[in-house]
Amino acid sequence: YDLAMVANALVAVDIKTGGITDATVAVLERLAGMAQREGESATWDAGRETYMGGYGTSGQLETTASAALAFLRSGRQPELANAALTYLVRGKDSFGTWETTSATVMALKAFIESVRRRTVQVTPETYDVVQMVVYDDVPVGREVVVGMAIEGEGNLMYQVGTSYYLPWAALVKYPDLVPAQDLVTIDVAYDRTELAVDDTVGVDVTVKMNEPSGSAEQTIIDLGLPPGFTVETEDLDRLVARFTDVPEDYAYAQVKRYELTGRQIILYVRNLSGAQPLSFSYRLRAKFPLVAQTPASVAYDYYNPSTAAEVAPTTLTVTGP
């Protein structure tokens, strides 16, 4: 049990500092040598009462889960880690837990880690299914190597993608990351940023193509909706109704419909052109006292998403009744 705890501590430090060290490998190998194999499963006896008071079967479950977690996080001894997970699967009790709170927590940690570091099986029955493996603890500021080993025959298509969060205030340091907004712009203005519960705030939106001859057959306007606010939908209903009976030769932008999600208002617009910008207004009603930031608002050509514009969030302050 002590060795498993030490192994996890060393692995955690190594992950933060850039790689598994020889000292950690030595501890992991020593831990692997203490495994007790029985068929497809592997276990580790605690050797003493655990720090959380576990002994007997509960101590064995907690220690086995700790050992499996260390191997999974380090990427070492994958076959032994899977054997430990097999034991844990078989060791779940009738309540869906592993006897004690500490053993249950460690078992769940091991299973979660096994999902992050797993073998993806592609069979004739699943070859057309997209399978995704996500790593959300990639260290910042260091090179990360992603490795894949393929067993078997056939051709495998794969894609490696990344996403990250960057505060708006930091964008000035990375001008290359700011999308070009020469072709289209969006402006979102709030008539006030401080209000009380149940008050409404007016939002004015203007979207325009900047080239006189520019046009977009289908434009998506994605308006950030701050938490704690509801949309006065009658404003958007009137906006859509305004374009219901326009003549067939109407040459300007038309709002055809809208959708609401928990964080955004999505407007579907036809025939946005440089001849005339699209301007409209709507209201938001404050439901709770809070300080909330709106998600960013975006406008883009559905058929050419690189033609896009984005506006920074706005902070709204709502006081109590």
Short mmCIF file of all heavy atoms in Angstrom, two decimals, residues 9-67:
data_model
loop_
_atom_site.label_atom_id
_atom_site.label_comp_id
_atom_site.label_asym_id
_atom_site.label_seq_id
_atom_site.Cartn_x
_atom_site.Cartn_y
_atom_site.Cartn_z
N ALA A 9 2.41 9.36 -6.18
CA ALA A 9 2.97 10.69 -5.93
C ALA A 9 4.07 11.02 -6.94
O ALA A 9 4.12 12.12 -7.49
CB ALA A 9 3.50 10.77 -4.50
N LEU A 10 4.96 10.05 -7.19
CA LEU A 10 6.05 10.28 -8.13
C LEU A 10 5.52 10.49 -9.55
O LEU A 10 6.00 11.36 -10.29
CB LEU A 10 7.02 9.10 -8.10
CG LEU A 10 7.82 8.94 -6.80
CD1 LEU A 10 8.64 7.65 -6.85
CD2 LEU A 10 8.72 10.14 -6.58
N VAL A 11 4.55 9.68 -9.96
CA VAL A 11 3.98 9.82 -11.30
C VAL A 11 3.33 11.20 -11.45
O VAL A 11 3.47 11.85 -12.50
CB VAL A 11 2.96 8.70 -11.57
CG1 VAL A 11 2.18 8.97 -12.84
CG2 VAL A 11 3.67 7.35 -11.68
N ALA A 12 2.62 11.65 -10.43
CA ALA A 12 1.96 12.97 -10.50
C ALA A 12 2.98 14.08 -10.70
O ALA A 12 2.78 14.99 -11.50
CB ALA A 12 1.15 13.20 -9.22
N VAL A 13 4.09 14.00 -9.98
CA VAL A 13 5.15 15.02 -10.13
C VAL A 13 5.78 14.93 -11.51
O VAL A 13 6.01 15.95 -12.18
CB VAL A 13 6.22 14.84 -9.03
CG1 VAL A 13 7.41 15.75 -9.31
CG2 VAL A 13 5.62 15.14 -7.67
N ASP A 14 6.05 13.71 -11.96
CA ASP A 14 6.71 13.54 -13.28
C ASP A 14 5.84 14.08 -14.40
O ASP A 14 6.34 14.67 -15.37
CB ASP A 14 7.01 12.06 -13.52
CG ASP A 14 8.17 11.57 -12.66
OD1 ASP A 14 8.81 12.40 -12.00
OD2 ASP A 14 8.42 10.35 -12.65
N ILE A 15 4.53 13.86 -14.32
CA ILE A 15 3.62 14.35 -15.37
C ILE A 15 3.69 15.88 -15.45
O ILE A 15 3.68 16.46 -16.54
CB ILE A 15 2.18 13.88 -15.09
CG1 ILE A 15 2.07 12.37 -15.35
CG2 ILE A 15 1.18 14.63 -15.96
CD1 ILE A 15 0.72 11.78 -14.98
N LYS A 16 3.79 16.54 -14.31
CA LYS A 16 3.85 18.01 -14.29
C LYS A 16 5.20 18.54 -14.76
O LYS A 16 5.28 19.65 -15.28
CB LYS A 16 3.56 18.53 -12.88
CG LYS A 16 2.10 18.38 -12.47
CD LYS A 16 1.85 19.06 -11.14
CE LYS A 16 0.39 19.02 -10.77
NZ LYS A 16 0.10 19.70 -9.49
N THR A 17 6.25 17.75 -14.57
CA THR A 17 7.59 18.24 -14.89
C THR A 17 8.12 17.73 -16.22
O THR A 17 9.24 18.07 -16.60
CB THR A 17 8.58 17.86 -13.78
OG1 THR A 17 8.55 16.44 -13.58
CG2 THR A 17 8.20 18.55 -12.48
N GLY A 18 7.34 16.91 -16.93
CA GLY A 18 7.73 16.62 -18.30
C GLY A 18 8.06 15.20 -18.67
O GLY A 18 8.48 14.95 -19.80
N GLY A 19 7.91 14.21 -17.81
CA GLY A 19 8.17 12.84 -18.23
C GLY A 19 8.49 11.93 -17.06
O GLY A 19 8.95 12.38 -16.00
N ILE A 20 8.23 10.63 -17.25
CA ILE A 20 8.46 9.65 -16.20
C ILE A 20 9.97 9.43 -16.04
O ILE A 20 10.67 9.10 -17.00
CB ILE A 20 7.76 8.33 -16.53
CG1 ILE A 20 6.25 8.58 -16.78
CG2 ILE A 20 7.94 7.32 -15.41
CD1 ILE A 20 5.53 9.20 -15.61
N THR A 21 10.48 9.59 -14.82
CA THR A 21 11.91 9.47 -14.56
C THR A 21 12.29 8.03 -14.28
O THR A 21 11.45 7.16 -14.03
CB THR A 21 12.29 10.33 -13.35
OG1 THR A 21 11.62 9.82 -12.19
CG2 THR A 21 11.89 11.79 -13.55
N ASP A 22 13.60 7.78 -14.32
CA ASP A 22 14.09 6.42 -14.05
C ASP A 22 13.76 5.99 -12.62
O ASP A 22 13.47 4.82 -12.36
CB ASP A 22 15.61 6.37 -14.26
CG ASP A 22 15.98 6.53 -15.73
OD1 ASP A 22 15.10 6.32 -16.59
OD2 ASP A 22 17.15 6.88 -16.01
N ALA A 23 13.81 6.93 -11.68
CA ALA A 23 13.48 6.60 -10.29
C ALA A 23 12.04 6.14 -10.17
O ALA A 23 11.73 5.18 -9.46
CB ALA A 23 13.74 7.80 -9.40
N THR A 24 11.13 6.82 -10.88
CA THR A 24 9.73 6.42 -10.84
C THR A 24 9.53 5.07 -11.50
O THR A 24 8.77 4.23 -11.01
CB THR A 24 8.87 7.49 -11.54
OG1 THR A 24 9.07 8.75 -10.91
CG2 THR A 24 7.39 7.12 -11.49
N VAL A 25 10.22 4.83 -12.61
CA VAL A 25 10.14 3.54 -13.28
C VAL A 25 10.58 2.42 -12.34
O VAL A 25 9.96 1.35 -12.29
CB VAL A 25 10.99 3.53 -14.57
CG1 VAL A 25 11.07 2.12 -15.17
CG2 VAL A 25 10.40 4.50 -15.60
N ALA A 26 11.62 2.66 -11.57
CA ALA A 26 12.11 1.64 -10.64
C ALA A 26 11.05 1.32 -9.58
O ALA A 26 10.85 0.16 -9.22
CB ALA A 26 13.40 2.13 -9.98
N VAL A 27 10.37 2.35 -9.08
CA VAL A 27 9.31 2.12 -8.10
C VAL A 27 8.16 1.34 -8.72
O VAL A 27 7.61 0.42 -8.11
CB VAL A 27 8.83 3.45 -7.51
CG1 VAL A 27 7.59 3.25 -6.63
CG2 VAL A 27 9.93 4.12 -6.71
N LEU A 28 7.79 1.70 -9.95
CA LEU A 28 6.70 1.01 -10.63
C LEU A 28 7.05 -0.46 -10.89
O LEU A 28 6.20 -1.35 -10.75
CB LEU A 28 6.37 1.72 -11.94
CG LEU A 28 5.73 3.10 -11.80
CD1 LEU A 28 5.71 3.82 -13.15
CD2 LEU A 28 4.32 3.00 -11.23
N GLU A 29 8.30 -0.72 -11.28
CA GLU A 29 8.71 -2.10 -11.50
C GLU A 29 8.69 -2.91 -10.21
O GLU A 29 8.30 -4.08 -10.20
CB GLU A 29 10.09 -2.13 -12.14
CG GLU A 29 10.11 -1.63 -13.59
CD GLU A 29 11.48 -1.65 -14.21
OE1 GLU A 29 12.46 -1.88 -13.45
OE2 GLU A 29 11.58 -1.43 -15.43
N ARG A 30 9.11 -2.27 -9.12
CA ARG A 30 9.06 -2.97 -7.83
C ARG A 30 7.62 -3.27 -7.44
O ARG A 30 7.30 -4.35 -6.95
CB ARG A 30 9.73 -2.11 -6.76
CG ARG A 30 9.76 -2.76 -5.38
CD ARG A 30 10.44 -1.85 -4.37
NE ARG A 30 10.33 -2.37 -3.02
CZ ARG A 30 10.67 -1.72 -1.92
NH1 ARG A 30 11.19 -0.49 -2.04
NH2 ARG A 30 10.52 -2.25 -0.73
N LEU A 31 6.74 -2.32 -7.69
CA LEU A 31 5.32 -2.53 -7.40
C LEU A 31 4.75 -3.64 -8.27
O LEU A 31 3.98 -4.48 -7.80
CB LEU A 31 4.55 -1.22 -7.63
CG LEU A 31 3.06 -1.23 -7.30
CD1 LEU A 31 2.83 -1.49 -5.82
CD2 LEU A 31 2.42 0.11 -7.70
N ALA A 32 5.13 -3.66 -9.55
CA ALA A 32 4.66 -4.72 -10.44
C ALA A 32 5.11 -6.09 -9.95
O ALA A 32 4.37 -7.08 -10.05
CB ALA A 32 5.16 -4.47 -11.87
N GLY A 33 6.31 -6.17 -9.39
CA GLY A 33 6.82 -7.44 -8.91
C GLY A 33 6.09 -7.97 -7.70
O GLY A 33 6.21 -9.16 -7.34
N MET A 34 5.30 -7.13 -7.03
CA MET A 34 4.56 -7.54 -5.84
C MET A 34 3.13 -7.97 -6.17
O MET A 34 2.36 -8.31 -5.27
CB MET A 34 4.53 -6.39 -4.83
CG MET A 34 5.92 -5.96 -4.37
SD MET A 34 5.90 -4.45 -3.35
CE MET A 34 5.13 -5.08 -1.87
N ALA A 35 2.77 -7.95 -7.47
CA ALA A 35 1.41 -8.33 -7.86
C ALA A 35 1.18 -9.81 -7.63
O ALA A 35 2.08 -10.64 -7.80
CB ALA A 35 1.18 -7.98 -9.33
N GLN A 36 -0.03 -10.15 -7.29
CA GLN A 36 -0.45 -11.54 -7.13
C GLN A 36 -1.42 -11.86 -8.27
O GLN A 36 -2.50 -11.29 -8.33
CB GLN A 36 -1.12 -11.76 -5.77
CG GLN A 36 -0.22 -11.45 -4.59
CD GLN A 36 -0.92 -11.61 -3.26
OE1 GLN A 36 -1.95 -12.28 -3.17
NE2 GLN A 36 -0.36 -11.00 -2.22
N ARG A 37 -1.02 -12.73 -9.17
CA ARG A 37 -1.81 -13.05 -10.36
C ARG A 37 -2.69 -14.26 -10.10
O ARG A 37 -2.27 -15.24 -9.46
CB ARG A 37 -0.90 -13.33 -11.55
CG ARG A 37 0.01 -12.18 -11.95
CD ARG A 37 -0.80 -10.95 -12.37
NE ARG A 37 -1.63 -11.22 -13.52
CZ ARG A 37 -1.31 -10.90 -14.77
NH1 ARG A 37 -0.15 -10.31 -15.01
NH2 ARG A 37 -2.13 -11.17 -15.77
N GLU A 38 -3.92 -14.18 -10.58
CA GLU A 38 -4.86 -15.29 -10.51
C GLU A 38 -5.72 -15.25 -11.77
O GLU A 38 -6.66 -14.46 -11.86
CB GLU A 38 -5.73 -15.23 -9.26
CG GLU A 38 -6.67 -16.42 -9.13
CD GLU A 38 -7.47 -16.39 -7.84
OE1 GLU A 38 -7.14 -15.59 -6.95
OE2 GLU A 38 -8.43 -17.16 -7.75
N GLY A 39 -5.36 -16.08 -12.74
CA GLY A 39 -6.08 -16.06 -14.01
C GLY A 39 -5.88 -14.74 -14.72
O GLY A 39 -4.75 -14.29 -14.94
N GLU A 40 -6.97 -14.08 -15.07
CA GLU A 40 -6.92 -12.81 -15.80
C GLU A 40 -6.81 -11.60 -14.88
O GLU A 40 -6.73 -10.47 -15.38
CB GLU A 40 -8.17 -12.66 -16.67
CG GLU A 40 -8.30 -13.74 -17.75
CD GLU A 40 -9.58 -13.57 -18.55
OE1 GLU A 40 -10.43 -12.74 -18.13
OE2 GLU A 40 -9.72 -14.24 -19.58
N SER A 41 -6.83 -11.80 -13.59
CA SER A 41 -6.82 -10.68 -12.66
C SER A 41 -5.50 -10.58 -11.91
O SER A 41 -4.71 -11.53 -11.86
CB SER A 41 -7.97 -10.80 -11.67
OG SER A 41 -7.80 -11.94 -10.84
N ALA A 42 -5.26 -9.42 -11.33
CA ALA A 42 -4.08 -9.17 -10.52
C ALA A 42 -4.49 -8.35 -9.31
O ALA A 42 -5.33 -7.44 -9.41
CB ALA A 42 -3.01 -8.44 -11.32
N THR A 43 -3.89 -8.65 -8.16
CA THR A 43 -4.21 -7.93 -6.94
C THR A 43 -2.93 -7.60 -6.18
O THR A 43 -1.87 -8.16 -6.44
CB THR A 43 -5.13 -8.76 -6.01
OG1 THR A 43 -4.43 -9.95 -5.62
CG2 THR A 43 -6.42 -9.13 -6.73
N TRP A 44 -3.07 -6.68 -5.23
CA TRP A 44 -1.99 -6.33 -4.31
C TRP A 44 -2.57 -6.31 -2.90
O TRP A 44 -3.58 -5.64 -2.65
CB TRP A 44 -1.41 -4.95 -4.62
CG TRP A 44 -0.51 -4.89 -5.80
CD1 TRP A 44 0.85 -4.87 -5.80
CD2 TRP A 44 -0.90 -4.82 -7.19
NE1 TRP A 44 1.33 -4.80 -7.07
CE2 TRP A 44 0.28 -4.78 -7.96
CE3 TRP A 44 -2.13 -4.81 -7.85
CZ2 TRP A 44 0.27 -4.72 -9.34
CZ3 TRP A 44 -2.15 -4.76 -9.23
CH2 TRP A 44 -0.94 -4.71 -9.96
N ASP A 45 -1.97 -7.05 -2.01
CA ASP A 45 -2.36 -6.97 -0.60
C ASP A 45 -1.82 -5.68 0.00
O ASP A 45 -0.70 -5.25 -0.31
CB ASP A 45 -1.80 -8.17 0.18
CG ASP A 45 -2.56 -9.46 -0.15
OD1 ASP A 45 -3.76 -9.36 -0.49
OD2 ASP A 45 -1.97 -10.54 -0.05
N ALA A 46 -2.61 -5.09 0.89
CA ALA A 46 -2.19 -3.82 1.47
C ALA A 46 -0.92 -3.98 2.30
O ALA A 46 -0.06 -3.10 2.31
CB ALA A 46 -3.32 -3.25 2.34
N GLY A 47 -0.78 -5.09 3.00
CA GLY A 47 0.39 -5.27 3.85
C GLY A 47 0.22 -4.69 5.23
O GLY A 47 0.96 -5.02 6.15
N ARG A 48 -0.75 -3.80 5.37
CA ARG A 48 -1.08 -3.21 6.67
C ARG A 48 -2.39 -2.46 6.51
O ARG A 48 -2.96 -2.39 5.42
CB ARG A 48 0.02 -2.24 7.12
CG ARG A 48 0.14 -0.99 6.25
CD ARG A 48 1.08 0.01 6.91
NE ARG A 48 1.19 1.25 6.16
CZ ARG A 48 0.34 2.27 6.27
NH1 ARG A 48 -0.72 2.17 7.04
NH2 ARG A 48 0.54 3.38 5.58
N GLU A 49 -2.89 -1.89 7.57
CA GLU A 49 -4.10 -1.07 7.49
C GLU A 49 -3.81 0.19 6.67
O GLU A 49 -2.78 0.83 6.84
CB GLU A 49 -4.56 -0.70 8.90
CG GLU A 49 -5.89 0.04 8.94
CD GLU A 49 -6.35 0.32 10.36
OE1 GLU A 49 -6.66 -0.67 11.07
OE2 GLU A 49 -6.36 1.51 10.76
N THR A 50 -4.72 0.55 5.76
CA THR A 50 -4.49 1.73 4.92
C THR A 50 -4.67 3.00 5.75
O THR A 50 -5.19 2.98 6.87
CB THR A 50 -5.47 1.76 3.74
OG1 THR A 50 -6.78 2.08 4.21
CG2 THR A 50 -5.50 0.42 3.02
N TYR A 51 -4.26 4.12 5.17
CA TYR A 51 -4.39 5.40 5.86
C TYR A 51 -5.85 5.73 6.17
O TYR A 51 -6.13 6.49 7.09
CB TYR A 51 -3.77 6.53 5.03
CG TYR A 51 -2.28 6.40 4.85
CD1 TYR A 51 -1.68 6.70 3.64
CD2 TYR A 51 -1.47 6.00 5.91
CE1 TYR A 51 -0.31 6.59 3.47
CE2 TYR A 51 -0.10 5.89 5.76
CZ TYR A 51 0.47 6.18 4.54
OH TYR A 51 1.83 6.07 4.40
N MET A 52 -6.77 5.16 5.41
CA MET A 52 -8.19 5.41 5.62
C MET A 52 -8.84 4.31 6.44
O MET A 52 -10.07 4.25 6.55
CB MET A 52 -8.89 5.55 4.26
CG MET A 52 -8.33 6.65 3.39
SD MET A 52 -8.36 8.28 4.19
CE MET A 52 -10.12 8.54 4.35
N GLY A 53 -8.04 3.41 7.02
CA GLY A 53 -8.57 2.39 7.92
C GLY A 53 -9.00 1.12 7.25
O GLY A 53 -9.62 0.26 7.89
N GLY A 54 -8.70 0.95 5.98
CA GLY A 54 -9.10 -0.26 5.28
C GLY A 54 -8.16 -1.43 5.58
O GLY A 54 -6.96 -1.26 5.71
N TYR A 55 -8.71 -2.61 5.70
CA TYR A 55 -7.90 -3.82 5.88
C TYR A 55 -8.68 -4.99 5.29
O TYR A 55 -9.87 -4.86 4.93
CB TYR A 55 -7.57 -4.06 7.36
CG TYR A 55 -8.78 -4.25 8.24
CD1 TYR A 55 -9.29 -5.53 8.49
CD2 TYR A 55 -9.43 -3.16 8.81
CE1 TYR A 55 -10.41 -5.71 9.29
CE2 TYR A 55 -10.54 -3.34 9.60
CZ TYR A 55 -11.03 -4.62 9.85
OH TYR A 55 -12.14 -4.79 10.62
N GLY A 56 -8.02 -6.13 5.19
CA GLY A 56 -8.67 -7.29 4.60
C GLY A 56 -9.02 -7.03 3.14
O GLY A 56 -8.22 -6.47 2.38
N THR A 57 -10.25 -7.41 2.75
CA THR A 57 -10.68 -7.25 1.35
C THR A 57 -10.73 -5.78 0.94
O THR A 57 -10.31 -5.42 -0.16
CB THR A 57 -12.06 -7.89 1.15
OG1 THR A 57 -12.00 -9.27 1.50
CG2 THR A 57 -12.50 -7.76 -0.31
N SER A 58 -11.23 -4.92 1.82
CA SER A 58 -11.32 -3.50 1.46
C SER A 58 -9.93 -2.90 1.27
O SER A 58 -9.70 -2.08 0.38
CB SER A 58 -12.09 -2.72 2.53
OG SER A 58 -11.40 -2.73 3.77
N GLY A 59 -8.96 -3.32 2.11
CA GLY A 59 -7.60 -2.86 1.93
C GLY A 59 -7.00 -3.35 0.64
O GLY A 59 -6.25 -2.63 -0.04
N GLN A 60 -7.31 -4.59 0.27
CA GLN A 60 -6.81 -5.14 -1.00
C GLN A 60 -7.41 -4.40 -2.18
O GLN A 60 -6.71 -4.09 -3.16
CB GLN A 60 -7.14 -6.63 -1.07
CG GLN A 60 -6.52 -7.34 -2.26
CD GLN A 60 -6.81 -8.83 -2.24
OE1 GLN A 60 -7.96 -9.26 -2.11
NE2 GLN A 60 -5.76 -9.64 -2.35
N LEU A 61 -8.69 -4.07 -2.11
CA LEU A 61 -9.34 -3.32 -3.19
C LEU A 61 -8.72 -1.94 -3.33
O LEU A 61 -8.41 -1.49 -4.45
CB LEU A 61 -10.84 -3.19 -2.90
CG LEU A 61 -11.69 -4.44 -3.07
CD1 LEU A 61 -13.05 -4.27 -2.42
CD2 LEU A 61 -11.85 -4.78 -4.56
N GLU A 62 -8.51 -1.26 -2.22
CA GLU A 62 -7.94 0.09 -2.26
C GLU A 62 -6.52 0.07 -2.79
O GLU A 62 -6.13 0.92 -3.61
CB GLU A 62 -7.98 0.70 -0.87
CG GLU A 62 -7.56 2.16 -0.82
CD GLU A 62 -7.69 2.75 0.57
OE1 GLU A 62 -8.35 2.12 1.44
OE2 GLU A 62 -7.13 3.84 0.79
N THR A 63 -5.73 -0.90 -2.36
CA THR A 63 -4.35 -0.99 -2.81
C THR A 63 -4.27 -1.35 -4.29
O THR A 63 -3.46 -0.78 -5.04
CB THR A 63 -3.59 -2.03 -1.97
OG1 THR A 63 -3.71 -1.70 -0.59
CG2 THR A 63 -2.13 -2.09 -2.36
N THR A 64 -5.11 -2.30 -4.72
CA THR A 64 -5.11 -2.70 -6.13
C THR A 64 -5.51 -1.53 -7.02
O THR A 64 -4.91 -1.30 -8.08
CB THR A 64 -6.06 -3.89 -6.33
OG1 THR A 64 -5.62 -4.98 -5.53
CG2 THR A 64 -6.12 -4.30 -7.79
N ALA A 65 -6.53 -0.77 -6.59
CA ALA A 65 -6.95 0.39 -7.37
C ALA A 65 -5.83 1.44 -7.43
O ALA A 65 -5.60 2.06 -8.47
CB ALA A 65 -8.21 0.99 -6.77
N SER A 66 -5.11 1.64 -6.32
CA SER A 66 -4.01 2.61 -6.30
C SER A 66 -2.89 2.18 -7.23
O SER A 66 -2.31 3.01 -7.96
CB SER A 66 -3.48 2.76 -4.87
OG SER A 66 -4.47 3.27 -4.01
N ALA A 67 -2.57 0.89 -7.23
CA ALA A 67 -1.53 0.38 -8.11
C ALA A 67 -1.94 0.54 -9.58
O ALA A 67 -1.15 0.98 -10.42
CB ALA A 67 -1.24 -1.08 -7.80
#
